Amino acid sequence: MTGVVIRRCRRSDLALLEWDGEFARARALFARLFAFAHRRGIVMLVASRGRDHLGQIWVDLARNPPGALLWALRVKPGWRGRGVGTQLITAAEQVAARLAHPWAEIEVEPGNLRARALYERLGYRWHRRQIAVDALSRAPLDFEVDVLRRWLAARGAPARCTPARPPRRPPSPRAARAARRRGGPGDRRMRDRR
């Protein structure tokens, strides 16, 4: 999508985050978050095209060190499926990687299959399920989210900050059966003889 600009949120953008009144109830939250952003290690990014506000994503660099948490990803309905969400996530990952965060996590409600498909297409993999937490107060909420993680290239990071490879997934039952037939590492009988 050409003409889309991803940039840091400015105070003048706060009214646009309300999406023509749809999120007017969040006006105070947006103002508080904007005020806390620099002190709390939060980077607020917005996507725009001309004067149109298309979407947003927030990057919390302090909530879950040494990684970064991407949250509040929203794209206006008329712009969904046109690459804006992908551009926002990519820009957020670049912020995190530039600041030597080895991985990024994004939370998704278990039933949000469209968002989950986007995140998995971009390389995010299931990491854990947890109770959702309010971003500012850190108070637990009354629903669960799946946390998906993606390892980032740590550009310019010192060697000690470069992440180890993520843990390997256990083999699928089909792969384990094939390994047993071959006598490979998935074969329990081979491990018992060692």
Side-chain angles (χ1 to χ4, degrees):
M1 169 72 43
T2 59
V4 174
V5 175
I6 310 293
R7 59 176 172 73
R8 284 185 179 249
C9 183
R10 299 185 281 247
R11 186 171 300 282
S12 60
D13 294 321
L14 295 180
L16 298 174
L17 299 178
E18 296 178 19
W19 288 13
D20 303 320
E22 184 178 345
F23 293 98
R25 67 187 185 286
R27 178 178 299 165
L29 171 68
F30 294 149
R32 269 184 38 217
L33 183 62
F34 186 81
F36 289 150
H38 293 292
R39 288 183 298 200
R40 301 221 20 206
I42 296 172
V43 177
M44 301 170 70
L45 299 176
V46 295
S48 60
R49 186 171 184 207
R51 293 180 176 212
D52 294 329
H53 173 79
L54 311 180
Q56 70 190 43
I57 192 168
W58 309 155
V59 186
D60 192 332
L61 302 166
R63 189 187 320 180
N64 198 5
L69 178 67
L70 313 184
W71 61 285
L73 172 64
R74 292 188 299 156
V75 176
K76 283 192 172 177
W79 290 91
R80 292 179 186 156
R82 298 170 70 179
V84 176
T86 299
Q87 290 180 14
L88 282 163
I89 292 170
T90 300
E93 290 173 346
Q94 289 171 349
V95 167
R98 201 170 33 249
L99 296 170
H101 291 269
W103 42 261
E105 289 182 343
I106 195 160
E107 298 173 350
V108 61
E109 291 183 42
N112 191 344
L113 301 179
R114 185 173 182 179
R116 184 182 201 110
L118 169 65
Y119 306 151
E120 289 177 347
R121 183 174 54 80
L122 294 175
Y124 285 82
R125 298 295 173 252
W126 187 88
H127 185 63
R128 68 182 177 276
R129 181 167 283 182
Q130 68 183 27
I131 299 293
V133 176
D134 181 88
L136 293 179
S137 70
R138 307 285 196 252
L141 301 174
D142 63 347
F143 61 96
E144 290 185 329
V145 291
D146 285 338
V147 178
L148 307 178
R149 180 179 281 186
R150 179 173 183 272
W151 290 88
L152 306 174
R155 294 184 205 142
R160 68 182 189 285
C161 292
T162 304
R165 288 203 170 278
R168 288 182 42 140
R169 283 184 159 176
S172 68
R174 186 177 182 184
R177 282 192 304 275
R180 279 194 298 274
R181 282 195 297 272
R182 290 191 313 267
D187 186 356
R188 275 188 232 128
R189 294 171 295 183
M190 290 298 286
R191 284 194 301 253
D192 293 341
R193 284 187 239 158
R194 291 181 198 158

